[in-house]
PDB file of all heavy atoms in Angstrom:
ATOM      1  N   ILE A 591      77.969 229.140-138.783  1.00 96.00           N
ATOM      2  CA  ILE A 591      78.725 229.783-137.796  1.00 96.00           C
ATOM      3  C   ILE A 591      77.866 230.517-136.832  1.00 96.00           C
ATOM      4  O   ILE A 591      77.001 231.366-137.271  1.00 96.00           O
ATOM      5  CB  ILE A 591      79.850 230.791-138.356  1.00 96.00           C
ATOM      6  CG1 ILE A 591      80.787 229.935-139.203  1.00 96.00           C
ATOM      7  CG2 ILE A 591      80.538 231.493-137.137  1.00 96.00           C
ATOM      8  CD1 ILE A 591      81.930 230.843-139.819  1.00 96.00           C
ATOM      9  N   LEU A 592      77.886 230.194-135.501  1.00 95.00           N
ATOM     10  CA  LEU A 592      77.031 230.827-134.490  1.00 95.00           C
ATOM     11  C   LEU A 592      77.959 231.708-133.643  1.00 95.00           C
ATOM     12  O   LEU A 592      79.080 231.295-133.317  1.00 95.00           O
ATOM     13  CB  LEU A 592      76.407 229.780-133.633  1.00 95.00           C
ATOM     14  CG  LEU A 592      75.353 228.912-134.241  1.00 95.00           C
ATOM     15  CD1 LEU A 592      74.955 227.795-133.295  1.00 95.00           C
ATOM     16  CD2 LEU A 592      74.112 229.755-134.565  1.00 95.00           C
ATOM     17  N   ARG A 593      77.459 232.882-133.206  1.00 93.00           N
ATOM     18  CA  ARG A 593      78.207 233.743-132.343  1.00 93.00           C
ATOM     19  C   ARG A 593      77.276 234.691-131.591  1.00 93.00           C
ATOM     20  O   ARG A 593      76.117 234.886-132.075  1.00 93.00           O
ATOM     21  CB  ARG A 593      79.259 234.591-133.121  1.00 93.00           C
ATOM     22  CG  ARG A 593      78.604 235.578-134.052  1.00 93.00           C
ATOM     23  CD  ARG A 593      79.587 236.323-134.964  1.00 93.00           C
ATOM     24  NE  ARG A 593      78.967 237.169-135.858  1.00 93.00           N
ATOM     25  CZ  ARG A 593      78.240 236.843-136.928  1.00 93.00           C
ATOM     26  NH1 ARG A 593      78.134 235.569-137.248  1.00 93.00           N
ATOM     27  NH2 ARG A 593      77.656 237.735-137.693  1.00 93.00           N
ATOM     28  N   GLU A 594      77.740 235.209-130.531  1.00 87.00           N
ATOM     29  CA  GLU A 594      76.972 236.206-129.757  1.00 87.00           C
ATOM     30  C   GLU A 594      77.473 237.595-130.151  1.00 87.00           C
ATOM     31  O   GLU A 594      78.699 237.821-130.300  1.00 87.00           O
ATOM     32  CB  GLU A 594      77.155 235.963-128.239  1.00 87.00           C
ATOM     33  CG  GLU A 594      76.388 236.973-127.407  1.00 87.00           C
ATOM     34  CD  GLU A 594      77.235 238.223-127.003  1.00 87.00           C
ATOM     35  OE1 GLU A 594      78.480 238.188-127.073  1.00 87.00           O
ATOM     36  OE2 GLU A 594      76.600 239.268-126.791  1.00 87.00           O
ATOM     37  N   GLU A 595      76.590 238.479-130.401  1.00 86.00           N
ATOM     38  CA  GLU A 595      76.964 239.817-130.808  1.00 86.00           C
ATOM     39  C   GLU A 595      76.056 240.817-130.069  1.00 86.00           C
ATOM     40  O   GLU A 595      74.853 240.882-130.319  1.00 86.00           O
ATOM     41  CB  GLU A 595      76.759 240.029-132.333  1.00 86.00           C
ATOM     42  CG  GLU A 595      77.255 241.291-132.895  1.00 86.00           C
ATOM     43  CD  GLU A 595      78.738 241.408-132.928  1.00 86.00           C
ATOM     44  OE1 GLU A 595      79.421 240.391-133.204  1.00 86.00           O
ATOM     45  OE2 GLU A 595      79.286 242.451-132.665  1.00 86.00           O
ATOM     46  N   GLU A 596      76.654 241.524-129.080  1.00 88.00           N
ATOM     47  CA  GLU A 596      75.929 242.553-128.270  1.00 88.00           C
ATOM     48  C   GLU A 596      74.667 241.929-127.641  1.00 88.00           C
ATOM     49  O   GLU A 596      73.597 242.556-127.722  1.00 88.00           O
ATOM     50  CB  GLU A 596      75.568 243.792-129.100  1.00 88.00           C
ATOM     51  CG  GLU A 596      76.837 244.530-129.620  1.00 88.00           C
ATOM     52  CD  GLU A 596      76.496 245.721-130.469  1.00 88.00           C
ATOM     53  OE1 GLU A 596      75.292 246.156-130.486  1.00 88.00           O
ATOM     54  OE2 GLU A 596      77.413 246.205-131.042  1.00 88.00           O
ATOM     55  N   GLY A 597      74.765 240.733-127.111  1.00 84.00           N
ATOM     56  CA  GLY A 597      73.649 240.106-126.433  1.00 84.00           C
ATOM     57  C   GLY A 597      72.675 239.399-127.324  1.00 84.00           C
ATOM     58  O   GLY A 597      71.705 238.845-126.855  1.00 84.00           O
ATOM     59  N   ARG A 598      72.953 239.294-128.621  1.00 85.00           N
ATOM     60  CA  ARG A 598      72.106 238.612-129.554  1.00 85.00           C
ATOM     61  C   ARG A 598      72.793 237.480-130.185  1.00 85.00           C
ATOM     62  O   ARG A 598      73.973 237.502-130.399  1.00 85.00           O
ATOM     63  CB  ARG A 598      71.624 239.592-130.726  1.00 85.00           C
ATOM     64  CG  ARG A 598      70.928 240.786-130.242  1.00 85.00           C
ATOM     65  CD  ARG A 598      70.502 241.660-131.512  1.00 85.00           C
ATOM     66  NE  ARG A 598      71.551 241.832-132.458  1.00 85.00           N
ATOM     67  CZ  ARG A 598      72.410 242.900-132.544  1.00 85.00           C
ATOM     68  NH1 ARG A 598      72.203 243.917-131.693  1.00 85.00           N
ATOM     69  NH2 ARG A 598      73.241 242.967-133.479  1.00 85.00           N
ATOM     70  N   LEU A 599      72.005 236.415-130.456  1.00 85.00           N
ATOM     71  CA  LEU A 599      72.566 235.289-131.230  1.00 85.00           C
ATOM     72  C   LEU A 599      72.573 235.653-132.699  1.00 85.00           C
ATOM     73  O   LEU A 599      71.523 236.043-133.232  1.00 85.00           O
ATOM     74  CB  LEU A 599      71.743 234.013-130.989  1.00 85.00           C
ATOM     75  CG  LEU A 599      72.170 232.787-131.754  1.00 85.00           C
ATOM     76  CD1 LEU A 599      73.561 232.337-131.285  1.00 85.00           C
ATOM     77  CD2 LEU A 599      71.190 231.677-131.552  1.00 85.00           C
ATOM     78  N   GLU A 600      73.748 235.514-133.345  1.00 90.00           N
ATOM     79  CA  GLU A 600      73.836 235.845-134.766  1.00 90.00           C
ATOM     80  C   GLU A 600      74.439 234.565-135.417  1.00 90.00           C
ATOM     81  O   GLU A 600      75.153 233.784-134.821  1.00 90.00           O
ATOM     82  CB  GLU A 600      74.686 237.060-135.057  1.00 90.00           C
ATOM     83  CG  GLU A 600      74.008 238.270-134.487  1.00 90.00           C
ATOM     84  CD  GLU A 600      74.479 239.555-135.145  1.00 90.00           C
ATOM     85  OE1 GLU A 600      75.376 239.516-135.973  1.00 90.00           O
ATOM     86  OE2 GLU A 600      73.991 240.638-134.796  1.00 90.00           O
ATOM     87  N   TYR A 601      74.206 234.422-136.729  1.00 91.00           N
ATOM     88  CA  TYR A 601      74.716 233.246-137.446  1.00 91.00           C
ATOM     89  C   TYR A 601      75.058 233.643-138.860  1.00 91.00           C
ATOM     90  O   TYR A 601      74.495 234.628-139.434  1.00 91.00           O
ATOM     91  CB  TYR A 601      73.738 232.107-137.446  1.00 91.00           C
ATOM     92  CG  TYR A 601      72.493 232.369-138.199  1.00 91.00           C
ATOM     93  CD1 TYR A 601      72.363 232.047-139.558  1.00 91.00           C
ATOM     94  CD2 TYR A 601      71.394 232.971-137.578  1.00 91.00           C
ATOM     95  CE1 TYR A 601      71.217 232.289-140.219  1.00 91.00           C
ATOM     96  CE2 TYR A 601      70.172 233.170-138.270  1.00 91.00           C
ATOM     97  CZ  TYR A 601      70.095 232.859-139.616  1.00 91.00           C
ATOM     98  OH  TYR A 601      68.936 233.065-140.320  1.00 91.00           O
ATOM     99  N   ASP A 602      75.982 232.914-139.437  1.00 93.00           N
ATOM    100  CA  ASP A 602      76.335 233.054-140.866  1.00 93.00           C
ATOM    101  C   ASP A 602      76.189 231.666-141.446  1.00 93.00           C
ATOM    102  O   ASP A 602      76.582 230.673-140.887  1.00 93.00           O
ATOM    103  CB  ASP A 602      77.742 233.492-141.056  1.00 93.00           C
ATOM    104  CG  ASP A 602      77.968 234.963-140.624  1.00 93.00           C
ATOM    105  OD1 ASP A 602      77.148 235.816-140.922  1.00 93.00           O
ATOM    106  OD2 ASP A 602      78.950 235.156-139.894  1.00 93.00           O
ATOM    107  N   LEU A 603      75.619 231.599-142.648  1.00 93.00           N
ATOM    108  CA  LEU A 603      75.551 230.347-143.419  1.00 93.00           C
ATOM    109  C   LEU A 603      76.619 230.469-144.525  1.00 93.00           C
ATOM    110  O   LEU A 603      76.667 231.454-145.227  1.00 93.00           O
ATOM    111  CB  LEU A 603      74.207 230.182-144.089  1.00 93.00           C
ATOM    112  CG  LEU A 603      73.070 229.953-143.114  1.00 93.00           C
ATOM    113  CD1 LEU A 603      71.732 230.037-143.820  1.00 93.00           C
ATOM    114  CD2 LEU A 603      73.178 228.580-142.393  1.00 93.00           C
ATOM    115  N   LEU A 604      77.543 229.490-144.521  1.00 95.00           N
ATOM    116  CA  LEU A 604      78.562 229.524-145.526  1.00 95.00           C
ATOM    117  C   LEU A 604      78.252 228.484-146.650  1.00 95.00           C
ATOM    118  O   LEU A 604      78.115 227.288-146.330  1.00 95.00           O
ATOM    119  CB  LEU A 604      79.934 229.168-144.903  1.00 95.00           C
ATOM    120  CG  LEU A 604      80.322 229.952-143.733  1.00 95.00           C
ATOM    121  CD1 LEU A 604      81.644 229.461-143.088  1.00 95.00           C
ATOM    122  CD2 LEU A 604      80.431 231.419-144.031  1.00 95.00           C
ATOM    123  N   LEU A 605      78.028 228.960-147.851  1.00 95.00           N
ATOM    124  CA  LEU A 605      77.606 228.077-148.921  1.00 95.00           C
ATOM    125  C   LEU A 605      78.734 227.807-149.887  1.00 95.00           C
ATOM    126  O   LEU A 605      79.400 228.758-150.358  1.00 95.00           O
ATOM    127  CB  LEU A 605      76.447 228.748-149.725  1.00 95.00           C
ATOM    128  CG  LEU A 605      75.039 228.649-149.098  1.00 95.00           C
ATOM    129  CD1 LEU A 605      74.963 229.422-147.831  1.00 95.00           C
ATOM    130  CD2 LEU A 605      74.021 229.002-150.104  1.00 95.00           C
ATOM    131  N   ALA A 606      78.945 226.611-150.191  1.00 96.00           N
ATOM    132  CA  ALA A 606      79.918 226.129-151.178  1.00 96.00           C
ATOM    133  C   ALA A 606      79.307 226.452-152.594  1.00 96.00           C
ATOM    134  O   ALA A 606      78.043 226.532-152.680  1.00 96.00           O
ATOM    135  CB  ALA A 606      80.270 224.703-151.065  1.00 96.00           C
ATOM    136  N   PRO A 607      80.113 226.663-153.616  1.00 97.00           N
ATOM    137  CA  PRO A 607      79.529 226.813-154.926  1.00 97.00           C
ATOM    138  C   PRO A 607      78.573 225.700-155.284  1.00 97.00           C
ATOM    139  O   PRO A 607      78.850 224.532-155.082  1.00 97.00           O
ATOM    140  CB  PRO A 607      80.726 226.769-155.841  1.00 97.00           C
ATOM    141  CG  PRO A 607      81.911 227.251-154.978  1.00 97.00           C
ATOM    142  CD  PRO A 607      81.587 226.628-153.601  1.00 97.00           C
ATOM    143  N   GLY A 608      77.357 226.083-155.775  1.00 95.00           N
ATOM    144  CA  GLY A 608      76.365 225.141-156.182  1.00 95.00           C
ATOM    145  C   GLY A 608      75.480 224.562-155.019  1.00 95.00           C
ATOM    146  O   GLY A 608      74.597 223.821-155.212  1.00 95.00           O
ATOM    147  N   ALA A 609      75.752 225.076-153.779  1.00 95.00           N
ATOM    148  CA  ALA A 609      74.934 224.538-152.617  1.00 95.00           C
ATOM    149  C   ALA A 609      73.548 225.075-152.820  1.00 95.00           C
ATOM    150  O   ALA A 609      73.267 226.195-153.277  1.00 95.00           O
ATOM    151  CB  ALA A 609      75.540 225.066-151.348  1.00 95.00           C
ATOM    152  N   ASP A 610      72.570 224.275-152.265  1.00 94.00           N
ATOM    153  CA  ASP A 610      71.139 224.626-152.362  1.00 94.00           C
ATOM    154  C   ASP A 610      70.684 225.245-151.080  1.00 94.00           C
ATOM    155  O   ASP A 610      70.449 224.492-150.064  1.00 94.00           O
ATOM    156  CB  ASP A 610      70.392 223.304-152.724  1.00 94.00           C
ATOM    157  CG  ASP A 610      68.900 223.527-152.828  1.00 94.00           C
ATOM    158  OD1 ASP A 610      68.432 224.727-152.807  1.00 94.00           O
ATOM    159  OD2 ASP A 610      68.194 222.508-152.947  1.00 94.00           O
ATOM    160  N   LEU A 611      70.492 226.517-151.010  1.00 91.00           N
ATOM    161  CA  LEU A 611      70.103 227.246-149.866  1.00 91.00           C
ATOM    162  C   LEU A 611      68.677 226.781-149.355  1.00 91.00           C
ATOM    163  O   LEU A 611      68.333 226.886-148.194  1.00 91.00           O
ATOM    164  CB  LEU A 611      70.107 228.767-149.998  1.00 91.00           C
ATOM    165  CG  LEU A 611      69.764 229.548-148.825  1.00 91.00           C
ATOM    166  CD1 LEU A 611      70.731 229.279-147.650  1.00 91.00           C
ATOM    167  CD2 LEU A 611      69.804 231.037-149.172  1.00 91.00           C
ATOM    168  N   SER A 612      67.856 226.239-150.288  1.00 92.00           N
ATOM    169  CA  SER A 612      66.465 225.860-149.880  1.00 92.00           C
ATOM    170  C   SER A 612      66.506 224.679-148.884  1.00 92.00           C
ATOM    171  O   SER A 612      65.480 224.335-148.320  1.00 92.00           O
ATOM    172  CB  SER A 612      65.650 225.532-151.141  1.00 92.00           C
ATOM    173  OG  SER A 612      66.116 224.330-151.714  1.00 92.00           O
ATOM    174  N   GLN A 613      67.654 224.018-148.733  1.00 90.00           N
ATOM    175  CA  GLN A 613      67.764 222.957-147.713  1.00 90.00           C
ATOM    176  C   GLN A 613      67.614 223.517-146.332  1.00 90.00           C
ATOM    177  O   GLN A 613      67.276 222.755-145.371  1.00 90.00           O
ATOM    178  CB  GLN A 613      69.182 222.310-147.763  1.00 90.00           C
ATOM    179  CG  GLN A 613      69.492 221.669-149.070  1.00 90.00           C
ATOM    180  CD  GLN A 613      70.899 221.118-149.079  1.00 90.00           C
ATOM    181  OE1 GLN A 613      71.146 219.995-148.541  1.00 90.00           O
ATOM    182  NE2 GLN A 613      71.863 221.944-149.493  1.00 90.00           N
ATOM    183  N   VAL A 614      67.923 224.784-146.104  1.00 89.00           N
ATOM    184  CA  VAL A 614      67.976 225.399-144.782  1.00 89.00           C
ATOM    185  C   VAL A 614      66.569 225.774-144.345  1.00 89.00           C
ATOM    186  O   VAL A 614      65.858 226.547-145.024  1.00 89.00           O
ATOM    187  CB  VAL A 614      68.897 226.588-144.695  1.00 89.00           C
ATOM    188  CG1 VAL A 614      68.843 227.250-143.364  1.00 89.00           C
ATOM    189  CG2 VAL A 614      70.283 226.196-145.157  1.00 89.00           C
ATOM    190  N   VAL A 615      66.157 225.288-143.148  1.00 87.00           N
ATOM    191  CA  VAL A 615      64.903 225.697-142.582  1.00 87.00           C
ATOM    192  C   VAL A 615      65.151 226.183-141.132  1.00 87.00           C
ATOM    193  O   VAL A 615      65.871 225.483-140.418  1.00 87.00           O
ATOM    194  CB  VAL A 615      63.959 224.483-142.507  1.00 87.00           C
ATOM    195  CG1 VAL A 615      62.611 224.816-141.791  1.00 87.00           C
ATOM    196  CG2 VAL A 615      63.615 223.942-143.948  1.00 87.00           C
ATOM    197  N   VAL A 616      64.675 227.360-140.837  1.00 80.00           N
ATOM    198  CA  VAL A 616      64.879 227.970-139.481  1.00 80.00           C
ATOM    199  C   VAL A 616      63.534 227.978-138.822  1.00 80.00           C
ATOM    200  O   VAL A 616      62.598 228.545-139.386  1.00 80.00           O
ATOM    201  CB  VAL A 616      65.489 229.317-139.573  1.00 80.00           C
ATOM    202  CG1 VAL A 616      65.616 229.929-138.148  1.00 80.00           C
ATOM    203  CG2 VAL A 616      66.861 229.294-140.266  1.00 80.00           C
ATOM    204  N   ARG A 617      63.421 227.388-137.628  1.00 83.00           N
ATOM    205  CA  ARG A 617      62.116 227.428-136.883  1.00 83.00           C
ATOM    206  C   ARG A 617      62.466 228.113-135.541  1.00 83.00           C
ATOM    207  O   ARG A 617      63.446 227.831-134.897  1.00 83.00           O
ATOM    208  CB  ARG A 617      61.644 226.007-136.524  1.00 83.00           C
ATOM    209  CG  ARG A 617      61.295 225.272-137.760  1.00 83.00           C
ATOM    210  CD  ARG A 617      60.883 223.904-137.533  1.00 83.00           C
ATOM    211  NE  ARG A 617      60.889 223.174-138.776  1.00 83.00           N
ATOM    212  CZ  ARG A 617      60.221 222.172-139.078  1.00 83.00           C
ATOM    213  NH1 ARG A 617      59.434 221.684-138.160  1.00 83.00           N
ATOM    214  NH2 ARG A 617      60.285 221.601-140.267  1.00 83.00           N
ATOM    215  N   CYS A 618      61.570 229.030-135.167  1.00 83.00           N
ATOM    216  CA  CYS A 618      61.660 229.797-133.903  1.00 83.00           C
ATOM    217  C   CYS A 618      60.420 229.724-133.114  1.00 83.00           C
ATOM    218  O   CYS A 618      59.396 230.232-133.566  1.00 83.00           O
ATOM    219  CB  CYS A 618      62.131 231.215-134.167  1.00 83.00           C
ATOM    220  SG  CYS A 618      63.596 231.403-135.146  1.00 83.00           S
ATOM    221  N   GLY A 619      60.504 229.088-131.942  1.00 87.00           N
ATOM    222  CA  GLY A 619      59.355 229.025-131.058  1.00 87.00           C
ATOM    223  C   GLY A 619      59.152 230.304-130.303  1.00 87.00           C
ATOM    224  O   GLY A 619      60.146 230.957-129.958  1.00 87.00           O
ATOM    225  N   GLY A 620      57.933 230.642-129.941  1.00 91.00           N
ATOM    226  CA  GLY A 620      57.651 231.768-129.107  1.00 91.00           C
ATOM    227  C   GLY A 620      57.777 233.093-129.772  1.00 91.00           C
ATOM    228  O   GLY A 620      57.957 234.148-129.160  1.00 91.00           O
ATOM    229  N   VAL A 621      57.782 233.106-131.159  1.00 91.00           N
ATOM    230  CA  VAL A 621      57.873 234.315-131.862  1.00 91.00           C
ATOM    231  C   VAL A 621      56.515 234.869-132.287  1.00 91.00           C
ATOM    232  O   VAL A 621      55.678 234.171-132.783  1.00 91.00           O
ATOM    233  CB  VAL A 621      58.763 234.080-133.150  1.00 91.00           C
ATOM    234  CG1 VAL A 621      58.786 235.332-134.064  1.00 91.00           C
ATOM    235  CG2 VAL A 621      60.147 233.604-132.831  1.00 91.00           C
ATOM    236  N   ASP A 622      56.277 236.210-131.904  1.00 93.00           N
ATOM    237  CA  ASP A 622      55.024 236.828-132.243  1.00 93.00           C
ATOM    238  C   ASP A 622      55.027 237.507-133.577  1.00 93.00           C
ATOM    239  O   ASP A 622      53.966 237.612-134.227  1.00 93.00           O
ATOM    240  CB  ASP A 622      54.668 237.855-131.129  1.00 93.00           C
ATOM    241  CG  ASP A 622      54.441 237.185-129.806  1.00 93.00           C
ATOM    242  OD1 ASP A 622      53.799 236.099-129.733  1.00 93.00           O
ATOM    243  OD2 ASP A 622      54.859 237.769-128.795  1.00 93.00           O
ATOM    244  N   SER A 623      56.168 238.008-133.977  1.00 91.00           N
ATOM    245  CA  SER A 623      56.263 238.687-135.322  1.00 91.00           C
ATOM    246  C   SER A 623      57.624 238.503-135.927  1.00 91.00           C
ATOM    247  O   SER A 623      58.629 238.287-135.305  1.00 91.00           O
ATOM    248  CB  SER A 623      55.939 240.161-135.154  1.00 91.00           C
ATOM    249  OG  SER A 623      56.953 240.816-134.432  1.00 91.00           O
ATOM    250  N   VAL A 624      57.639 238.572-137.266  1.00 89.00           N
ATOM    251  CA  VAL A 624      58.872 238.511-138.062  1.00 89.00           C
ATOM    252  C   VAL A 624      58.877 239.682-139.029  1.00 89.00           C
ATOM    253  O   VAL A 624      57.845 239.915-139.697  1.00 89.00           O
ATOM    254  CB  VAL A 624      58.920 237.156-138.828  1.00 89.00           C
ATOM    255  CG1 VAL A 624      60.179 237.075-139.695  1.00 89.00           C
ATOM    256  CG2 VAL A 624      58.852 235.967-137.881  1.00 89.00           C
ATOM    257  N   ARG A 625      60.062 240.389-139.103  1.00 90.00           N
ATOM    258  CA  ARG A 625      60.145 241.474-140.023  1.00 90.00           C
ATOM    259  C   ARG A 625      61.640 241.699-140.322  1.00 90.00           C
ATOM    260  O   ARG A 625      62.450 241.181-139.723  1.00 90.00           O
ATOM    261  CB  ARG A 625      59.556 242.754-139.415  1.00 90.00           C
ATOM    262  CG  ARG A 625      60.244 243.269-138.199  1.00 90.00           C
ATOM    263  CD  ARG A 625      59.583 244.522-137.603  1.00 90.00           C
ATOM    264  NE  ARG A 625      60.226 244.984-136.381  1.00 90.00           N
ATOM    265  CZ  ARG A 625      61.353 245.619-136.212  1.00 90.00           C
ATOM    266  NH1 ARG A 625      61.997 245.985-137.354  1.00 90.00           N
ATOM    267  NH2 ARG A 625      61.885 245.932-135.090  1.00 90.00           N
ATOM    268  N   LEU A 626      61.812 242.487-141.454  1.00 90.00           N
ATOM    269  CA  LEU A 626      63.158 242.943-141.775  1.00 90.00           C
ATOM    270  C   LEU A 626      63.355 244.349-141.264  1.00 90.00           C
ATOM    271  O   LEU A 626      62.487 245.184-141.391  1.00 90.00           O
ATOM    272  CB  LEU A 626      63.337 242.929-143.308  1.00 90.00           C
ATOM    273  CG  LEU A 626      63.246 241.588-143.955  1.00 90.00           C
ATOM    274  CD1 LEU A 626      63.383 241.678-145.498  1.00 90.00           C
ATOM    275  CD2 LEU A 626      64.369 240.654-143.454  1.00 90.00           C
TER     276      LEU A 626
END
């Protein structure tokens, strides 16, 4: 699920029971740093 929240792109991944999250790969071009 993709949505805009206060000018930012946000997303939710909905996993069915037993789904393998390691299938998901996110690539972002033009990124200088990544942090929590």
Side-chain angles (χ1 to χ4, degrees):
I591 296 179
L592 292 170
R593 67 185 178 287
E594 180 270 335
E595 188 71 40
E596 298 180 12
R598 299 182 315 262
L599 177 64
E600 296 202 357
Y601 67 91
D602 293 314
L603 295 168
L604 307 177
L605 280 68
D610 179 9
L611 184 59
S612 70
Q613 299 176 86
V614 178
V615 176
V616 178
R617 295 176 196 207
C618 301
V621 175
D622 293 322
S623 68
V624 178
R625 65 180 173 81
L626 295 177

